[in-house]
Amino acid sequence: MKVALLSGGVGGARFARGVTAAVDPADVTVIGNVGDDLEVLGMAVSPDLDSILYALAGLNDDERGWGRADESWRALETVSALGGEDWFRLGDRDLGLHLVRTQALRAGEPLSSVTRRLARAVGIEARLLPATDDRQRTWIDTPAGSFPFQEWFVARGHRDDVDGVRFEGECTPAPGVLEALGEADVIVIAPSNPYVSIWPILAVPRIRGSLRDREVPCIAVSPLVGGHAVKGPADRMLARMAGGTSPAHVASCYAGLIDALVVDEADPRDPLAIRAVVTQTLMTDLAASRRLAETVLAAA
Amino acid sequence: MKVALLSGGVGGARFARGVTAAVDPADVTVIGNVGDDLEVLGMAVSPDLDSILYALAGLNDDERGWGRADESWRALETVSALGGEDWFRLGDRDLGLHLVRTQALRAGEPLSSVTRRLARAVGIEARLLPATDDRQRTWIDTPAGSFPFQEWFVARGHRDDVDGVRFEGECTPAPGVLEALGEADVIVIAPSNPYVSIWPILAVPRIRGSLRDREVPCIAVSPLVGGHAVKGPADRMLARMAGGTSPAHVASCYAGLIDALVVDEADPRDPLAIRAVVTQTLMTDLAASRRLAETVLAAA
């Protein structure tokens, strides 16, 4: 069964790992969000792609929830001591990846190509693609002003309420994205923040068009458990921008693009315009991620 | 006593540390070689300036002879694992400095200004200046072809004989350099490799002119002990390019620019056209570096 998975960072990465445990990884294409990519210390950082890459390679830090396991912070400590830009936490091992990627991008290699090389180098069998090779940047509109995603999320600790989300950049899908969506037996939207993890992917017009015109089922997994985000501001954003945190509110983020929504047992069972699949969605470990993935794929 | 010191990397850095122990560091200006600067992994690396900076701040690794003490290599290990450029050894702490400097240079800050900030941040009282803010690059001509300095020195392990040394770039002195040379009570050339550490500094026309037209003594310290380089290829280069490794051959590298040469007790005492000062030049520890510096300054 060929799977095309749209994914954001941590939750999506964990789910992606479950999908590659549930089916042959060679049949899985993960299309990652790049709207929250940033330049920090001159490095091109792709937090969501990296979370997925680390998770698929088993290199991620499960406890911290982001970044690499067995990480150290000596370069960044030095940056701090020298008065440099230290608001974004880059570990030493993580930096190694950013150095390699940044150099390749500067030399003109597209992000999708670098990502393929990196994924191969860490032994990933699934295909990992950025949504686009173009520069896309997510902006967050808040009562305190508009901020680049990471400034709002990391530097301001996503404390500001969100009135709107915008995506800067005219983007075409990265090579392989439309093919993966076209060849898939099922398209899955990972349990990521709809607004800042999935919408940037859907903001690439031809990706949105491909989902709208799909001939195979598209299933989204809600990132909420009992109306609450496992981590991050998805619940607050849904409450403010969609008017609530029920499955219907989550589904409204993907109107016209999905055929089913996988929701947690703890969420209300109001009738939806699309099919609802109720299961345990909390991914406490790889077995739970795999079970969730299996449920999603079985629903297809 | 105001001292202006022309210095290359490791040996020069060790001597610079001795000079700042021998006189008030506030009276010392170290003018560092930047001909062997390079871009590695997209980072702007200034190996000689950094060796001096680390030595003056007491952060250098005395045993290894270069780089920082208590260093780790996790970023570079990752770079290697990902198939990146790993021929030049960048430690994690060292990387922190390169990240800060590279970002500042990209933002348009001159090297001398970044260097001043970095030196201040690590608590250095002496003044550390690059010879020039312009891009200068040392090229090494060998029977196997011409190589950028670091490619010859590090990647090829300086195994090729050297037929000539060239300096690419039209360079003016960095702000403060001519002033420091003009105000100094003595100009000192550190026990560095004449060809690849000091000549690049002297290749900046107005610096050479300032030494040629000096009104204060200029004293060079030979980098050889008993005709041998303590480390590196200085002896082989002198043998091939100057015709020998005696004090006279060392002095010939600075013809017209120095008034005295400090040589080791183990070297031959042939008469020189300039004054010879014989002492122990091996800098086994800070006390030895300080003694050597005191001897040099006393000779002035």
Side-chain angles (χ1 to χ4, degrees):
Chain A
M1 181 182 240
K2 291 198 169 181
V3 182
L5 173 67
L6 276 52
S7 175
V10 180
R14 201 167 279 193
F15 182 72
R17 180 82 185 77
V19 173
T20 58
V23 299
D24 183 350
D27 285 338
V28 178
T29 300
V30 185
I31 299 162
N33 168 38
V34 294
D36 56 7
D37 285 13
L38 74 161
E39 282 244 326
V40 56
L41 284 165
M43 302 283 93
V45 181
S46 296
D48 282 6
L49 283 185
D50 295 346
S51 288
I52 300 166
L53 182 131
Y54 291 150
L56 290 182
L59 296 171
N60 60 308
D61 187 302
D62 247 335
E63 214 157 303
R64 200 190 313 117
W66 54 271
R68 285 194 61 161
D70 188 25
E71 188 56 289
S72 56
W73 312 89
R74 295 157 68 98
L76 200 69
E77 280 162 22
T78 307
V79 168
S80 294
L82 297 175
E85 180 186 7
D86 61 357
W87 62 280
F88 196 89
R89 301 271 293 157
L90 296 175
D92 295 326
R93 293 187 193 275
D94 196 33
L95 253 177
L97 185 148
H98 303 317
L99 285 164
V100 173
R101 175 171 46 214
T102 303
Q103 194 178 30
L105 292 175
R106 284 231 172 84
E109 188 175 352
L111 180 58
S112 56
S113 168
V114 192
T115 304
R116 182 169 56 237
R117 286 199 294 117
L118 296 173
R120 205 173 288 160
V122 295
I124 293 175
E125 287 174 80
R127 196 149 50 137
L128 174 58
L129 297 173
T132 179
D133 277 338
D134 301 320
R135 181 190 161 91
Q136 187 191 46
R137 289 296 182 266
T138 299
W139 283 81
I140 308 294
D141 297 330
T142 82
S146 285
F147 301 103
F149 176 80
Q150 298 291 357
E151 190 177 332
W152 167 73
F153 192 79
V154 176
R156 298 177 66 89
H158 51 76
R159 64 171 183 264
D160 314 276
D161 283 331
V162 179
D163 294 320
V165 177
R166 289 177 292 118
F167 309 103
E168 190 185 285
E170 301 214 347
C171 305
T172 56
V177 168
L178 294 183
E179 293 77 356
L181 291 169
E183 291 166 9
D185 298 307
V186 57
I187 300 169
V188 182
I189 295 178
S192 300
N193 185 314
Y195 299 108
V196 295
S197 294
I198 304 300
W199 276 19
I201 304 175
L202 298 174
V204 179
R206 294 179 66 194
I207 296 181
R208 172 175 287 272
S210 182
L211 257 69
R212 195 188 49 223
D213 304 338
R214 70 196 175 280
E215 294 175 356
V216 296
C218 179
I219 305 179
V221 184
S222 168
L224 303 187
V225 175
H228 295 289
V230 178
K231 208 178 165 183
D235 45 6
R236 281 177 60 207
M237 296 177 77
L238 277 156
R240 189 170 169 98
M241 290 197 285
T245 60
S246 76
H249 294 109
V250 175
S252 74
C253 293
Y254 304 129
L257 302 177
I258 60 173
D259 306 293
L261 182 70
V262 177
V263 298
D264 194 79
E265 295 172 346
D267 282 287
R269 314 235 173 149
D270 307 332
L272 295 180
I274 55 167
R275 185 174 157 213
V277 177
V278 179
T279 187
Q280 289 182 3
T281 64
L282 202 59
M283 295 177 287
T284 46
D285 56 16
L286 175 57
S289 301
R290 181 184 177 149
R291 270 196 308 274
L292 178 59
E294 285 169 345
T295 303
V296 172
L297 300 178
Chain B
M1 179 182 242
K2 291 197 169 183
V3 182
L5 173 67
L6 277 52
S7 175
V10 180
R14 201 167 279 192
F15 181 72
R17 181 79 186 78
V19 172
T20 58
V23 300
D24 183 349
D27 285 339
V28 178
T29 300
V30 185
I31 300 162
N33 168 38
V34 293
D36 56 7
D37 285 13
L38 72 161
E39 281 243 326
V40 57
L41 284 164
M43 302 283 93
V45 181
S46 297
D48 282 6
L49 283 185
D50 295 346
S51 288
I52 300 166
L53 183 130
Y54 291 149
L56 291 181
L59 296 171
N60 60 308
D61 188 301
D62 247 335
E63 213 157 302
R64 200 190 313 117
W66 54 271
R68 285 192 61 161
D70 188 24
E71 188 56 288
S72 56
W73 312 89
R74 295 156 67 100
L76 199 69
E77 280 162 21
T78 307
V79 167
S80 295
L82 297 175
E85 180 186 7
D86 61 358
W87 63 279
F88 196 89
R89 301 272 292 157
L90 296 175
D92 296 326
R93 292 187 193 276
D94 197 33
L95 253 177
L97 186 148
H98 303 317
L99 284 164
V100 173
R101 175 171 46 213
T102 303
Q103 193 179 29
L105 292 175
R106 284 231 172 83
E109 189 176 352
L111 180 58
S112 56
S113 168
V114 192
T115 304
R116 183 169 56 237
R117 286 200 293 117
L118 296 173
R120 205 173 287 161
V122 296
I124 293 175
E125 288 175 79
R127 195 149 52 136
L128 174 57
L129 297 173
T132 179
D133 277 337
D134 302 318
R135 181 190 162 91
Q136 187 190 46
R137 288 297 182 266
T138 299
W139 282 82
I140 307 295
D141 297 330
T142 82
S146 286
F147 302 102
F149 175 79
Q150 297 291 357
E151 190 177 331
W152 167 73
F153 192 79
V154 176
R156 299 177 66 88
H158 50 77
R159 64 170 184 264
D160 315 275
D161 284 331
V162 179
D163 293 320
V165 177
R166 288 176 292 119
F167 308 103
E168 189 186 286
E170 301 214 347
C171 304
T172 57
V177 167
L178 294 183
E179 293 76 357
L181 290 169
E183 291 165 9
D185 298 306
V186 56
I187 300 169
V188 181
I189 295 178
S192 301
N193 185 313
Y195 299 109
V196 295
S197 295
I198 304 300
W199 276 19
I201 303 175
L202 299 174
V204 179
R206 295 179 65 195
I207 296 182
R208 172 174 286 272
S210 182
L211 257 70
R212 194 189 48 223
D213 304 338
R214 71 196 175 278
E215 294 175 356
V216 297
C218 179
I219 304 179
V221 184
S222 168
L224 302 188
V225 176
H228 293 290
V230 178
K231 208 178 164 182
D235 45 6
R236 281 176 61 207
M237 295 176 78
L238 277 156
R240 189 173 170 97
M241 289 197 286
T245 59
S246 76
H249 293 109
V250 174
S252 73
C253 293
Y254 304 128
L257 302 177
I258 61 174
D259 305 293
L261 181 70
V262 177
V263 299
D264 194 79
E265 297 172 345
D267 281 286
R269 313 234 175 151
D270 307 332
L272 294 181
I274 55 168
R275 185 174 156 211
V277 177
V278 179
T279 188
Q280 290 182 4
T281 64
L282 201 60
M283 294 177 288
T284 47
D285 56 18
L286 175 56
S289 301
R290 182 185 176 147
R291 271 196 308 273
L292 178 58
E294 285 168 346
T295 303
V296 172
L297 300 178

